[in-house]
Amino acid sequence: MISSKAASTSQAHVVNQVLAAIIQNRPFDSHLAKSPSLTHHFSNPPWANELITNVLRSIPRFFFQSPRSIGRQNTFRHRAPLKQRNLHQESIKIHNHTLLLGPGAYRDPQKVTLGLNKALEFYYWVESQFGFNHTEITCREMSIILAKGNRLKDLWNFLKDMSRRNTGNLITTTTMTCLIKVLGEQGLANEALAAFHRMKQFHCKPDIYSYNTIINALCKVNNFKMAKFLFEQMELPGFRCPPDTFTYTIMISSYCKLSLQTQCKKAIRRRMWEANHLFRIMLFKGFKPDVVTYNCLIDGCCKTYRIERALELFDDMMKQGCFPNRVTYNSFIRYYCVTNEIDKGVEMLRKMEDLKHGVASTSSYTPIIHAFCECGRVLEAWDFVIELVDRGSIPREYTYRLVYGMLKSLGRMDLLDNVICGRIEEGIKNRYKHVMKVKPVMSEPQFILE
C-alpha cells in the first residue's frame, strides 16, 4: 500500500512534469506518453482522475493570472465595480497595443493562448494514449479553463462534443452553474446569461443555485433589469425554483450597492426603500434572514446615513437570535467616525468585545484612529494604536505615519515608546517583504523617523 503522503508527493511530481512540458511547449504525443515518470501514474486507475484534475486546475494559475494579481486576497470583493466586458473590443486594443483595463488587463496573450491550446491537447492526449474515460469532474475543469481563458467559441464546441458522447452524463447542472459563476467573476455577465439559457440544450435543468448564481453575476455588472426579471419569474406561483434566503440576500445587497452608486438623493431613497421592502417580504414569506442579510442592509443604511433604521435592524437581529459579527459592528463604527461621533464608535467597539461577537482587528481600529486625528485628539489616537499592537495586530503604514507625524508636530515625542514603535516598524517591513516576494514592483515603506 502507498501512504497518502507518498501518493500526494508523487502526484505533485507528475503535475510539475506536465506543467513543465506545457511551458516548454512540448507536443503531447506517444513519445511523451512513454516517459517512465508519467506512464506509471497515468496507468494506475485510482490516481488518474485526481491527477488530471490537479493538472487542469493548475493551468489557469500559471498561465492566466497576471503578475499584478499574484499574492492578492482570494475574495469575491473588487476595488472597482465590474463592468460588462466586450471581448471583441479588448482584442482590438491588444492588437493595437492600447491601454486595456478591467479583468483582462496585464494578461500575457501569448501565455493565455499557450495554456488554452496545451490544456485541450492534454485533455484529449490522456484519453487517446492511456484510454482514460473522462468524468464529469474533468469535463467541468476543462470547461472552466476555456471560460477563464475567454475562449467562448471553443467552450461551446467543447460542451457540444462532450454532450454527444455516450460515456455518461458529462454535462450536468453543476457544471453549467460553475461556468456561470466563472463567467460572472470574469465580467462576462451576458455570456453567463447565454450559458444559463443554453442549459436546456445540454439537457440540464436549472436549479435554485443556478438562478442565484446568474442573478448575482448580473447584479455585479449592474444589469439590474434582467436580474430583477429573473427574480420576479422565480416569485411566480408554482414556479419550479422559488427564491430562498440567498436569493433575497443577493437582491437586497444589490439594491444597497446600487443606491450608493447613483449619487442622487431621490434614487438612494428609492433603492433603500426597495431593499427594506424586500426584507419585509422575506419575513412575511417565512424566511429567516441570516447574518449576511442583516449585514448587507445595515451597511447600506449606515452608508446612506439612516442610522435609526440600522439600529432597529441591529436590535431585531439580537431578538431573532442571529448574533452580529465584526462586519456588523464595523459598519456602525465607520458611520460614527464619519459623523464625528467617535465616542459612540468606541462604545460599539467595546460592546463587540464585551458580548464576544467578534475580535477587533485593524479594520475596526483604523476608522477610530483616523477620526481622533482629524478632530485633534491625537493622544487618544496613540492610545488606540498601542492597544491595537498589544492585541497582536500591526496598523497600516499610512495610519502609523499619520499619528507619528501629528505627535511630532505637537512636540509630544516623549509619548512614543521605542519598543512599540520598533514592533510596528518591524511588522510593516515584514509585511512588505512578504508582498515583495511575489510583487517586486512594490516600494519600500517610508517611515517618518528622526
Side-chain angles (χ1 to χ4, degrees):
M1 295 292 291
I2 302 176
S3 64
S4 59
K5 184 176 181 180
S8 61
T9 304
S10 63
Q11 286 187 41
H13 178 70
V14 174
V15 170
N16 292 334
Q17 282 197 335
V18 175
L19 289 175
I22 295 176
I23 294 173
Q24 296 169 5
N25 199 9
R26 295 171 58 188
F28 286 97
D29 51 13
S30 59
H31 179 71
L32 184 61
K34 294 178 182 179
S35 175
S37 58
L38 297 180
T39 306
H40 171 70
H41 297 281
F42 281 121
S43 61
N44 195 355
W47 298 103
N49 191 43
E50 188 176 356
L51 273 172
I52 295 169
T53 303
N54 290 336
V55 171
L56 294 175
R57 288 177 178 174
S58 301
I59 290 176
R61 186 169 65 251
F62 281 92
F63 295 94
F64 300 165
Q65 199 171 17
S66 63
R68 292 199 174 205
S69 62
I70 298 175
R72 69 178 175 83
Q73 293 182 350
N74 188 14
T75 175
F76 62 90
R77 297 179 63 186
H78 297 273
R79 292 186 180 273
L82 276 176
K83 296 181 180 179
Q84 173 62 41
R85 294 169 60 188
N86 189 328
L87 296 179
H88 179 66
Q89 292 293 334
E90 289 185 7
S91 62
I92 294 176
K93 289 184 177 181
I94 292 174
H95 179 73
N96 296 332
H97 303 286
T98 56
L99 180 63
L100 178 65
L101 301 176
Y106 306 110
R107 272 186 175 184
D108 189 349
Q110 295 181 353
K111 289 181 64 177
V112 173
T113 304
L114 176 64
L116 288 169
N117 294 336
K118 287 299 178 180
L120 281 171
E121 189 178 347
F122 168 77
Y123 185 86
Y124 291 110
W125 173 73
V126 175
E127 187 178 32
S128 61
Q129 293 293 332
F130 301 99
F132 175 75
N133 293 324
H134 285 289
T135 62
E136 189 264 339
I137 298 176
T138 57
C139 178
R140 183 195 312 165
E141 294 300 328
M142 187 65 238
S143 304
I144 290 174
I145 289 176
L146 294 171
K148 288 184 177 180
N150 305 143
R151 191 176 285 186
L152 301 180
K153 185 177 180 181
D154 290 342
L155 172 62
W156 306 131
N157 292 333
F158 174 77
L159 293 176
K160 289 178 184 178
D161 180 33
M162 293 296 107
S163 63
R164 296 191 188 103
R165 297 192 177 188
N166 297 323
T167 57
N169 193 11
L170 298 180
I171 309 299
T172 62
T173 303
T174 305
T175 301
M176 297 303 296
T177 304
C178 290
L179 284 178
I180 294 170
K181 181 177 182 294
V182 171
L183 291 171
E185 291 173 348
Q186 296 285 320
L188 300 170
N190 293 339
E191 289 75 7
L193 185 62
F196 177 78
H197 291 305
R198 285 196 180 198
M199 291 180 71
K200 294 182 180 179
Q201 178 183 352
F202 302 115
H203 309 287
C204 300
K205 292 183 179 180
D207 54 8
I208 184 62
Y209 303 106
S210 305
Y211 273 94
N212 289 346
T213 306
I214 186 59
I215 288 175
N216 187 38
L218 292 169
C219 290
K220 281 183 178 179
V221 297
N222 290 335
N223 190 354
F224 206 68
K225 184 177 181 181
M226 181 56 66
K228 191 175 180 180
F229 171 78
L230 292 173
F231 177 73
E232 292 174 348
Q233 187 180 18
M234 296 174 70
E235 285 189 316
L236 292 175
F239 192 73
R240 188 172 58 87
C241 298
D244 59 359
T245 304
F246 300 102
T247 316
Y248 283 99
T249 301
I250 292 169
M251 295 299 295
I252 290 172
S253 175
S254 302
Y255 273 121
C256 295
K257 291 178 181 177
L258 185 65
S259 67
L260 296 173
Q261 296 173 12
T262 55
Q263 300 295 326
C264 172
K265 290 184 178 180
K266 185 176 180 181
I268 290 173
R269 184 167 60 249
R270 174 65 182 176
R271 298 304 180 191
M272 290 306 302
W273 180 88
E274 289 176 343
N276 284 279
H277 180 65
L278 262 184
F279 182 78
R280 293 186 178 93
I281 291 177
M282 180 181 177
L283 296 176
F284 177 77
K285 290 189 175 182
F287 292 104
K288 187 176 181 180
D290 56 7
V291 64
V292 180
T293 312
Y294 278 107
N295 286 346
C296 292
L297 199 53
I298 287 174
D299 186 63
C301 291
C302 288
K303 288 182 177 178
T304 54
Y305 302 100
R306 287 161 174 77
I307 189 62
E308 294 83 4
R309 175 58 179 165
L311 291 172
E312 179 184 340
L313 289 168
F314 184 79
D315 294 336
D316 180 67
M317 190 178 184
M318 301 286 285
K319 292 177 182 178
Q320 297 296 329
C322 181
F323 297 106
N325 55 18
R326 184 173 61 195
V327 179
T328 316
Y329 286 94
N330 283 352
S331 299
F332 287 105
I333 291 172
R334 285 193 298 267
Y335 168 81
Y336 287 127
C337 292
V338 168
T339 57
N340 203 19
E341 298 177 272
I342 314 173
D343 295 331
K344 291 185 178 180
V346 175
E347 182 182 345
M348 292 299 293
L349 179 67
R350 303 304 180 202
K351 185 176 181 180
M352 176 179 64
E353 295 171 345
D354 295 339
L355 297 178
K356 297 182 180 179
H357 287 162
V359 179
S361 64
T362 308
S363 59
S364 307
Y365 279 90
T366 300
I368 296 176
I369 295 171
H370 285 217
F372 276 134
C373 291
E374 288 178 2
C375 66
R377 299 163 65 178
V378 189
L379 303 182
E380 295 177 72
W382 177 246
D383 291 337
F384 273 90
V385 171
I386 296 175
E387 182 178 335
L388 176 62
V389 175
D390 290 338
R391 290 177 176 271
S393 300
I394 300 297
R396 299 182 178 92
E397 182 194 356
Y398 176 79
T399 305
Y400 174 61
R401 294 178 64 185
L402 176 66
V403 180
Y404 191 103
M406 294 195 70
L407 286 174
K408 186 177 180 180
S409 63
L410 293 175
R412 298 302 305 269
M413 299 294 290
D414 56 307
L415 296 176
L416 295 174
D417 188 355
N418 293 331
V419 177
I420 296 294
C421 293
R423 288 175 58 185
I424 295 174
E425 294 167 10
E426 186 66 24
I428 294 175
K429 287 181 181 179
N430 291 335
R431 184 189 300 162
Y432 270 82
K433 287 179 182 178
H434 176 71
V435 176
M436 286 177 66
K437 289 180 181 179
V438 291
K439 288 187 177 182
V441 296
M442 296 291 290
S443 59
E444 290 285 350
Q446 302 294 329
F447 300 117
I448 304 178
L449 301 175
E450 291 183 337

